[in-house]
Amino acid sequence: MRVDVLTIFPDAFRGPLDVSIVKRAREDGLLDFFVHDIREHALDRHRSVDDYPFGGGAGMVMRVDVLDRALEHVRSLAPERGLVVYLSPAGERLTDRIVRELAREERLILVCGRYEGVDERFIEHCVDREISIGDYVLTGGELPAMVLVDAVTRHIPGALGDAASPQEESFADGLLEHPQYTRPAEYRGWRVPEVLLSGHHAKIEAWRKEQRLARTRERRPDLLGEGGDSDPGGAAGSANPGE
């Protein structure tokens, strides 16, 4: 997969995506990740990317012409057209289902907004999908872009090493993940559930399923259907908007 990010703060991406799973995916050639400075496509000597909103109002709006030039340049760098995603508080909330959909794309082009947002004409004519990571507003789309890249990378075949891992995480079956334990089996009188030490795989799996359902019912009942069980068609794993 190739991911291109358009931003006016390219330095923001130095570090967070250079560690752990994302770093390994890049080193193994599973993820090609590029950051592009929108300001390089401004035409004035001040490298202006924004202007006052028509009709008045507070703040500044990112210019459609500068964004369009930046996008066209980035598109020309690879044969795949790419799915253009604008990170916005007004977008659809990012869920596990959406992450899996995006992971099937050959190329993603992520546009990070700033100020009061971007000219609506850019969204109407150039953006394929608006996505939010939570119902709150951030100072820009850089952090949401990093969240999206991290989440999507986990679903690139080979990125985790263990092909079963993504299927066993929270939201994979519409439920939260079951509790996890490791050694020592007892610490300060706090014991690991006996069933996990039994070696009886069927009982362990039954216990884990029971725990997933109970934890989801307690902490995220919105993920369950009306009957109290998981709803595979639901938006498992909301945690959205945010620019």
Side-chain angles (χ1 to χ4, degrees):
M1 170 181 276
R2 175 180 175 124
V3 176
D4 293 273
V5 177
L6 279 68
T7 174
I8 62 173
F9 293 107
D11 288 347
F13 291 87
R14 293 181 180 175
L17 300 180
D18 294 327
V19 296
S20 190
I21 292 171
V22 177
K23 177 184 179 181
R24 291 200 301 271
R26 296 172 68 180
E27 291 176 341
D28 293 343
L30 302 174
L31 173 67
D32 292 325
F33 181 74
F34 304 93
V35 181
H36 311 273
D37 189 349
I38 296 172
R39 290 190 185 279
E40 292 181 357
H41 302 277
L43 299 181
D44 65 319
R45 64 189 181 89
H46 299 293
R47 305 178 77 203
S48 302
V49 298
D50 60 316
D51 210 330
Y52 295 103
F54 283 126
M60 305 290 278
V61 176
M62 295 185 73
R63 295 172 52 126
V64 60
D65 57 338
V66 179
L67 286 167
D68 185 51
R69 282 195 295 271
L71 177 59
E72 287 303 309
H73 169 73
V74 168
R75 273 201 172 131
S76 71
L77 301 178
E80 303 85 6
R81 178 182 182 278
L83 184 78
V84 180
V85 177
Y86 171 50
L87 286 308
S88 163
E92 57 186 319
R93 287 205 264 176
L94 185 64
T95 65
D96 184 70
R97 173 183 59 80
I98 292 175
V99 166
R100 291 168 187 270
E101 290 175 5
L102 296 178
R104 292 195 289 268
E105 297 287 337
E106 287 185 299
R107 184 185 187 190
L108 296 176
I109 301 177
L110 310 182
V111 181
C112 304
R114 278 274 165 170
Y115 313 118
E116 291 302 308
V118 308
D119 190 302
E120 188 68 20
R121 290 169 292 180
F122 179 76
I123 298 174
E124 291 177 357
H125 299 285
C126 303
V127 171
D128 298 309
R129 200 161 185 175
E130 285 186 78
I131 291 181
S132 165
I133 66 163
D135 293 329
Y136 44 84
V137 178
L138 299 174
T139 55
E142 286 76 19
L143 288 173
M146 295 177 204
V147 169
L148 192 151
V149 171
D150 186 285
V152 167
T153 299
R154 301 178 66 83
H155 293 282
I156 297 176
L160 294 185
D162 182 356
S165 295
Q167 309 306 321
E168 298 173 355
E169 297 179 325
S170 291
F171 309 124
D173 58 358
L175 302 174
L176 299 182
E177 191 174 19
H178 52 76
Q180 299 279 10
Y181 300 87
T182 188
R183 298 175 180 173
E186 182 175 351
Y187 175 71
R188 296 179 62 178
W190 308 334
R191 290 191 53 79
V192 171
E194 290 297 332
V195 65
L196 299 180
L197 307 177
S198 67
H200 196 298
H201 297 296
K203 288 183 178 179
I204 291 173
E205 182 52 38
W207 178 87
R208 286 176 171 169
K209 183 175 182 179
E210 178 183 302
Q211 292 296 312
R212 289 197 298 271
L213 184 59
R215 176 171 284 193
T216 305
R217 185 180 293 117
E218 175 187 355
R219 303 183 184 184
R220 291 294 305 278
D222 57 297
L223 297 179
L224 300 176
E226 292 183 3
D229 207 342
S230 64
D231 176 12
S238 64
N240 289 320
E243 185 179 11

